[in-house]
Amino acid sequence: MNKEQIKLNTGFTLIETLVALAIFAFSVVSIVVVTGQGINDVNYSKNKLSATMLADEGIELVRNIRDTYALGDQATQGWNSFKMIAEPSFCGVICTIDPTEDLTSLNLGGVLPCDGITSCDPLWRDTSINSTGYYNYDTSLSSTNQPTIFTRNIQVADTGIDNVLQVTSTVSWRQGQSTKTVTISEPIYNWYVKN
């Protein structure tokens, strides 16, 4: 064996080097794509969990208003008064049920009139250090309140059954190029029925 044959057999050829670099590059790109998809999935899960809790809160706020009316003076409040503010004849879409409002002091029980609007404003959230973390509609506190990606529609419909209404709470948000929604629908009953 001479020196030239030894030199040719001891190193990588150019083609072997390019193949090795291509395999390495493909591996790195695959890891980046999988990591990016994982981050997107985590963000979607976080947003869906928040939206589910906000939709459930919408149902609970309607129940709270119903209870406030049921426990009030039956001559001036009660189930029939609750139905008047809750059913579509009042507004169609109840958007601004605000948990930060005193539900007992407002004549609409925390439901702010929406004057025939067909879509709701986004929810805001207090992000200050000493915040309660409540989602609300108070845009006057813009230094600590920040708009969120979530919009909540709450609809109350008559079921045709005495003392039963259907409450539907839908929360939507933009995720990438599409709009995602979470909807919760439950019946609400007049538990205060005199015999």
Side-chain angles (χ1 to χ4, degrees):
M1 226 188 239
N2 62 24
K3 286 185 176 182
E4 289 180 13
Q5 288 177 333
I6 293 173
K7 283 185 181 178
L8 289 175
N9 293 333
T10 59
F12 284 108
T13 65
L14 181 59
I15 293 174
E16 290 172 325
T17 304
L18 290 175
V19 168
L21 285 174
I23 292 171
F24 179 74
F26 179 75
S27 300
V28 169
V29 169
S30 298
I31 290 170
V32 169
V33 168
V34 168
T35 303
Q37 185 62 41
I39 290 170
N40 190 33
D41 291 346
V42 166
N43 283 334
Y44 172 73
S45 296
K46 179 186 76 153
N47 290 338
K48 186 173 181 181
L49 179 63
S50 296
T52 301
M53 289 192 284
L54 286 169
D56 192 45
E57 180 189 55
I59 302 281
E60 292 302 319
L61 289 171
V62 173
R63 279 196 187 113
N64 190 346
I65 296 167
R66 180 225 27 215
D67 294 347
T68 301
Y69 272 73
L71 295 172
D73 179 15
Q74 291 298 308
T76 59
Q77 292 185 333
W79 179 255
N80 290 331
S81 297
F82 167 71
K83 280 178 64 173
M84 284 183 3
I85 69 142
E87 286 186 335
S89 60
F90 170 70
C91 183
V93 176
I94 300 171
C95 302
T96 53
I97 298 179
D98 196 334
T100 61
E101 295 290 334
D102 180 7
L103 297 177
T104 59
S105 68
L106 295 172
N107 66 337
L108 295 173
V111 180
L112 308 176
C114 46
D115 299 325
I117 62 173
T118 57
S119 64
C120 300
D121 292 331
L123 287 160
W124 288 59
R125 185 161 187 246
D126 188 355
T127 57
S128 64
I129 293 173
N130 298 323
S131 84
T132 59
Y134 285 128
Y135 287 81
N136 57 63
Y137 291 97
D138 191 355
T139 59
S140 66
L141 301 172
S142 59
S143 61
T144 59
N145 251 7
Q146 300 295 321
T148 67
I149 59 172
F150 302 105
T151 303
R152 178 172 56 201
N153 288 342
I154 301 171
Q155 295 178 316
V156 182
D158 194 348
T159 61
I161 303 169
D162 285 345
N163 298 315
V164 181
L165 296 173
Q166 187 71 25
V167 180
T168 304
S169 180
T170 303
V171 175
S172 58
W173 75 98
R174 294 281 299 166
Q175 181 92 25
Q177 299 298 319
S178 61
T179 300
K180 307 292 185 184
T181 60
V182 171
T183 300
I184 297 176
S185 186
E186 293 185 13
I188 189 168
Y189 302 96
N190 179 13
W191 55 265
Y192 186 89
V193 180
K194 286 188 177 181
N195 293 331

